[in-house]
């Protein structure tokens, strides 16, 4: 066995592996011996087939197989032992001579490798990056407060409808003379919400209605959306398209949402027992939660900025030809067909961008000994679990639930990798934040969104 | 005498002998002696023969009972040679299948 590296330039290298007979023979023999015990051949009892016959039949396949294994094992060993930082995977060289397993006893393989470029990422306090903090305005707090309170709203019956009311009653289709159609659509206990009614005529009529009144209006104008209509009348969407004419709605009940009073009971429901005791504290708590969730957005924006900054700062050269070949050999489109050259050319810039960021990040990690521990991954998993719950408006999940949920996520191999990746990202960002000068700027919600948008458009 | 080796013996027992003791069996011309057998095997397979053991087998009497009476006869007698090869040498009876 003989392995040598031929450096073509800084980014490309060819590794030649020469396999001698001594290297592969014992392994081939061993495999053949195993084969001999197992195969069934007419004319011989199992296990009594002459060795030479087995070799004759399977020798070549086994040989090719074993040499393949041997070469790939040694190649990866060589890469690890020599600390070669390669991109993608080694590819068989284009100059590879054809191999004749029948005749040759010594095989020579050549592999092209793309080497990872050396990058130097230096950060100092002289670098400046803005960190945008979104200003929490009173309007936002008020809106959030209202939002939270309305989540605990109760339904109360009332006599007269207003904009937020729901009306319950029987619907019946009418003919041109205003009499009920015998074979028309009838729905008992249909529920209409005033704020989804589109036509002014129906809306005013409904707002004036009292319990026990009959309201007549054109249903297909009041609800032009056939999905809503089909749901209300309990018919299919196709049928809903053909619904025409007037309907009579006999009001049986009017209900509306009433916001709960701000009292201790409500505070306990929202934030858990004994955390908030008066309205002032409630406001502060809401503001704090809001700030927390906005902080995440700030962080996100910062990570985008930092990424851009780092990407712009470091110039990385890639062995493009090699990567193109590698991409071509390894990627497939949705149907499992290999990508065409044009597709590869199209993908290339994005791929290189990602790769560049990865290299920069890895360099940062290596240079600064950043490590992701088990605990970091768990913390990150918990964080994302909390985020998920927050999306559903569940703010006060007990710690143990979160812990269980996070553990569940980590049991899934793929999710675990994502989490580790995310934790690593956070670590790097933390480091970047430490290493450079942060310029904190306070901006309003709209300005912040604009900043995000403009970035997206630039891309 | 130009055809000393008549055929190789391929049996389970001979396979085993070949694997363990490097011995191979042939049916040979009855008139051939050990030296001639050694020479013939060496020439034919390109190996070195260390030792040759020979044995003569008497043909068996065979009787067949048919419609038209009893047919009695005899199988051919033959000479069997077991050759031991030098270490490292090998004979592959299946190389030309």
């Amino acid at each position: 066995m003989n392995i040598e590296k031929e450096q073509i330039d800084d980014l490309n290298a060819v590794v030649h592996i020469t396999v001698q007979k001594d290297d592969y023979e014992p392994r081939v023999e061993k495999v053949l011996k195993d084969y001999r015990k197992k195969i069934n051949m007419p004319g011989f009892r199992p296990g009594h087939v002459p060795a030479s016959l087995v070799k004759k039949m399977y020798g070549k396949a086994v040989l090719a197989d074993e040499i393949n294994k041997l070469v790939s094992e040694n190649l990866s060993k060589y890469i690890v032992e020599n600390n070669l930082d390669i991109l993608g995977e080694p590819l068989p060289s284009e100059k590879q001579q054809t191999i004749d397993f029948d005749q040759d006893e010594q095989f020579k393989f050549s592999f092209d490798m793309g080497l990872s470029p050396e990058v130097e990422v230096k950060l100092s306090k002289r670098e400046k990056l803005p960190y945008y903090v979104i200003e929490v305005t009173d309007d936002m707090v008020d809106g959030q407060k209202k939002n939270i309170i309305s989540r605990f709203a109760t339904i109360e019956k009332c006599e007269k409808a207003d904009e937020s009311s729901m009306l319950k009653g029987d619907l019946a289709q009418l003919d041109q003379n205003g009499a009920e159609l015998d074979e028309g659509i009838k729905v008992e206990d249909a529920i209409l919400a005033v704020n989804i009614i589109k036509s002014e005529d129906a809306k005013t009529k409904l707002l004036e209605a009292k319990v026990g009144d009959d309201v007549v209006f054109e249903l297909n104008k009041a609800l032009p959306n056939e999905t809503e209509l089909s749901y209300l009348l309990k018919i299919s969407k196709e049928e809903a398209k053909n619904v025409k004419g007037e309907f009579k709605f006999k009001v049986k009940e009017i209900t509306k949402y009433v916001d709960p009073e701000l009292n201790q009971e409500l505070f306990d429901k929202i934030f858990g027992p004994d955390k908030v005791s008066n309205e002032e504290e409630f406001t502060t708590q809401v503001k704090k939660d809001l700030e927390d969730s906005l902080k995440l957005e700030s962080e996100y924006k910062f990570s985008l900025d930092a990424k851009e900054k780092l990407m712009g700062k470091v110039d990385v050269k890639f062995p493009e030809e090699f990567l193109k070949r590698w991409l071509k050999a390894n990627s497939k489109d949705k149907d499992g067909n290999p990508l065409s050259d044009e597709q590869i050319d199209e993908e290339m810039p994005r791929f290189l961008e990602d790769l560049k960021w990865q290299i920069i990040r890895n360099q940062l990690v290596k240079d600064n000994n950043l490590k992701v521990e088990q605990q970091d991954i768990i913390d990150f998993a918990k964080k994302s679990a909390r985020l998920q719950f927050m999306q559903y408006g569940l703010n006060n999940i007990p710690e143990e639930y979160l812990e269980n949920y996070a553990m569940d996520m980590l049991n899934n191999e793929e999710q675990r990798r994502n989490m580790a990746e995310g934790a690593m990202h956070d670590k790097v960002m933390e480091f970047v934040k430490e290493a450079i000068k942060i310029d904190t700027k306070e901006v309003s919600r709209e300005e912040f969104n604009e900043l995000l948008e403009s970035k997206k458009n630039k891309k | 005498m130009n055809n000393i080796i008549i055929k190789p013996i391929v049996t389970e027992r001979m396979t085993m002998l070949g694997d363990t003791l490097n011995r191979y069996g042939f049916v040979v011309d009855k008139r051939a002696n050990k030296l001639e057998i050694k020479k013939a095997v060496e020439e034919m397979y390109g190996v070195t023969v260390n030792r040759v053991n020979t044995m003569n087998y008497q043909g068996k009497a065979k009787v067949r009972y048919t419609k038209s009476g009893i047919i009695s006869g005899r199988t051919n007698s033959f000479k069997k040679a077991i050759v031991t090869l030098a270490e490292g040498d090998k004979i592959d009876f299946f190389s030309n299948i």
Side-chain angles (χ1 to χ4, degrees):
Chain A
M1 177 82 48
N2 189 8
I3 306 182
E4 24 179 67
K5 191 172 89 168
E6 188 189 323
Q7 195 84 27
I8 292 176
D9 54 38
D10 281 354
L11 301 170
N12 289 291
V14 182
V15 169
H16 301 287
I17 299 183
T18 320
V19 185
Q20 313 281 357
K21 194 172 183 191
D22 293 351
D23 299 323
Y24 62 82
E25 184 130 68
R27 298 173 62 137
V28 174
E29 290 291 317
K30 195 168 160 268
V31 175
L32 280 178
K33 221 167 145 189
D34 280 351
Y35 258 64
R36 198 180 156 207
K37 282 179 196 152
K38 280 176 214 147
I39 53 168
N40 245 326
M41 203 179 285
F44 300 95
R45 287 195 289 150
H48 291 277
V49 182
S52 52
L53 195 57
V54 178
K55 192 167 178 184
K56 182 92 206 156
M57 295 185 75
Y58 300 103
K60 223 161 84 182
V62 173
L63 179 71
D65 214 38
E66 285 304 309
I67 287 184
N68 201 353
K69 264 194 237 167
L70 199 71
V71 167
S72 62
E73 266 172 34
N74 278 288
L75 185 62
S76 41
K77 211 167 91 189
Y78 180 78
I79 290 169
V80 171
E81 275 174 6
N82 290 282
N83 275 332
L84 292 182
D85 222 350
I86 61 164
L87 292 174
E89 289 148 14
L91 286 177
S93 169
E94 277 163 341
K95 282 171 255 157
Q96 171 83 53
Q97 303 128 336
T98 43
I99 286 166
D100 184 2
F101 284 110
D102 283 331
Q103 307 283 322
D104 298 353
E105 292 205 329
Q106 180 179 326
F107 305 97
K108 191 171 172 189
F109 298 89
S110 307
F111 291 95
D112 285 345
M113 294 199 293
L115 299 176
S116 174
E118 297 272 326
V119 289
E120 208 177 343
V121 188
K122 263 195 203 144
L123 296 170
S124 66
K125 286 283 176 195
R126 258 178 300 169
E127 320 274 347
K128 226 158 104 181
L129 260 187
Y131 182 86
Y132 296 102
V133 176
I134 303 173
E135 197 184 358
V136 182
T137 58
D138 289 346
D139 281 354
M140 284 161 83
V141 176
D142 281 347
Q144 183 71 1
K145 260 165 79 180
K146 222 177 245 168
N147 196 350
I148 292 177
I149 293 169
S150 71
R151 245 181 252 152
F152 293 89
T154 47
I155 299 169
E156 268 173 33
K157 283 187 193 176
C158 57
E159 282 299 309
K160 214 170 150 6
D162 63 20
E163 286 280 336
S164 66
S165 297
M166 310 269 274
L167 293 96
K168 193 161 112 180
D170 300 339
L171 261 179
Q173 201 168 11
L174 300 181
D175 62 13
Q176 277 127 351
N177 307 325
E180 270 185 43
L181 266 175
D182 284 343
E183 282 161 22
I185 302 165
K186 278 185 194 146
V187 184
E188 278 187 23
D189 291 344
I191 293 176
L192 277 175
V194 175
N195 55 10
I196 64 163
I197 301 290
K198 297 285 184 301
S199 72
E200 280 307 314
D201 166 57
K203 205 171 213 169
T204 23
K205 277 180 188 167
L206 282 174
L207 285 176
E208 281 162 9
K210 288 196 285 292
V211 175
D213 285 358
D214 286 347
V215 186
V216 175
F217 56 92
E218 282 185 69
L219 196 58
N220 60 331
K221 285 195 185 141
L223 290 174
N225 183 337
E226 63 232 29
T227 317
E228 284 171 5
L229 198 55
S230 73
Y231 181 73
L232 177 71
L233 299 177
K234 301 189 175 76
I235 54 178
S236 72
K237 274 190 203 176
E238 284 72 38
E239 287 172 300
K241 270 184 204 164
N242 300 323
V243 169
K244 283 204 185 82
E246 298 197 305
F247 274 74
K248 191 174 77 179
F249 185 64
K250 191 176 169 61
V251 183
K252 278 157 73 184
E253 196 178 282
I254 300 174
T255 53
K256 67 173 179 184
Y257 284 111
V258 177
D259 284 346
E261 262 179 67
L262 284 177
N263 55 20
Q264 189 58 43
E265 203 185 329
L266 178 69
F267 294 148
D268 287 354
K269 254 196 230 162
I270 299 174
F271 296 107
D274 300 328
K275 287 232 174 95
V276 175
S277 54
N278 56 39
E279 194 177 341
E280 209 171 298
E281 278 180 46
F282 174 61
T283 315
T284 355
Q285 184 67 32
V286 168
K287 194 167 174 186
K288 200 177 142 270
D289 285 352
L290 210 54
E291 271 166 2
D292 281 351
S293 65
L294 289 178
K295 199 174 149 223
L296 288 174
E297 289 187 39
S298 301
E299 294 276 332
Y300 174 67
K301 168 81 176 122
F302 177 76
S303 78
L304 284 186
D305 286 346
K307 191 167 158 184
E308 200 184 85
K309 174 113 189 160
L310 285 169
M311 298 275 272
K313 205 165 136 61
V314 181
D315 189 29
V316 183
K317 277 204 184 62
F318 290 106
E320 280 192 39
E321 277 306 308
F322 171 81
L323 285 174
K324 238 176 230 179
R325 255 176 72 205
W326 179 71
L327 210 60
K328 198 171 156 71
N330 278 287
S331 47
K332 287 187 176 130
D333 64 8
K334 281 168 267 158
D335 309 322
N337 300 319
L339 293 176
S340 67
D341 285 345
E342 295 89 60
Q343 276 169 308
I344 298 267
D345 282 340
E346 215 171 282
E347 287 283 311
M348 211 56 196
R350 223 180 16 209
F351 174 72
L352 287 182
E353 193 92 328
D354 275 357
L355 201 61
K356 186 174 168 186
W357 172 236
Q358 251 176 45
I359 289 173
I360 293 173
R361 214 183 63 175
N362 288 347
Q363 194 66 31
L364 274 177
V365 170
K366 210 164 83 189
D367 288 351
N368 302 294
N369 273 330
L370 302 178
K371 253 189 227 133
V372 171
E373 310 276 345
Q374 180 70 12
Q375 192 55 42
D376 296 329
I377 298 179
I378 295 175
D379 284 348
F380 187 81
K382 266 203 246 174
K383 198 172 113 192
S384 55
R386 189 174 294 131
L387 269 181
Q388 274 185 27
F389 281 122
M390 253 153 81
Q391 280 179 350
Y392 300 116
L394 303 165
N395 282 329
N396 52 332
I397 303 288
E399 193 64 10
E400 54 192 297
Y401 276 131
L402 273 183
E403 183 114 28
N404 279 341
Y405 192 79
M407 282 304 171
D408 260 6
M409 286 208 282
L410 291 182
N411 280 338
N412 181 329
E413 190 56 37
E414 196 175 317
Q415 291 220 24
R416 191 187 166 83
R417 218 173 307 137
N418 282 344
M419 295 294 153
E421 192 77 349
M424 185 49 108
H425 186 82
D426 277 7
K427 274 260 156 121
V428 171
M429 280 306 148
E430 239 169 72
F431 170 79
V432 172
K433 234 189 261 173
E434 290 284 314
I436 65 175
K437 199 170 164 198
I438 301 287
D439 183 14
T440 311
K441 282 186 192 160
E442 196 156 288
V443 291
S444 74
R445 178 86 241 192
E446 288 75 29
E447 280 166 351
F448 185 79
N449 284 351
E450 255 167 48
L451 280 169
L452 270 184
E453 277 303 311
S454 67
K455 178 118 322 155
K456 259 183 215 154
N457 292 339
K458 230 189 274 174
K459 274 182 187 170
Chain B
M1 245 190 308
N2 36 19
N3 283 328
I4 291 179
I5 297 174
I6 295 168
K7 61 178 179 188
I9 304 171
V10 180
T11 59
E12 253 177 38
R13 183 179 155 87
M14 286 317 303
T15 312
M16 203 190 69
L17 271 184
D19 283 351
T20 53
L21 302 169
N22 212 12
R23 285 177 186 165
Y24 298 89
F26 299 91
V27 176
V28 293
D29 193 302
K30 258 203 281 199
R31 292 160 292 177
N33 64 27
K34 289 183 176 175
L35 290 172
E36 286 164 333
I37 294 168
K38 176 176 173 175
K39 198 169 153 233
V41 171
E42 282 180 344
E43 267 174 21
M44 191 163 198
Y45 294 102
V47 292
T48 319
V49 174
N50 269 3
R51 182 179 297 180
V52 180
N53 300 82
T54 57
M55 51 215 88
N56 274 306
Y57 278 77
Q58 192 71 333
K60 287 175 177 174
K62 295 279 177 188
V63 181
R64 221 152 37 119
Y65 303 95
T66 68
K67 253 195 283 182
S68 49
I70 299 167
I71 302 171
S72 61
R74 187 161 264 294
T75 60
N76 294 335
S77 57
F78 59 95
K79 186 182 233 178
K80 188 155 119 185
I82 305 288
V83 292
T84 310
L85 302 185
E87 222 177 273
D89 279 351
K90 238 178 214 165
I91 294 178
D92 186 358
F93 291 139
F94 305 99
S95 60
N96 49 1
I97 301 173

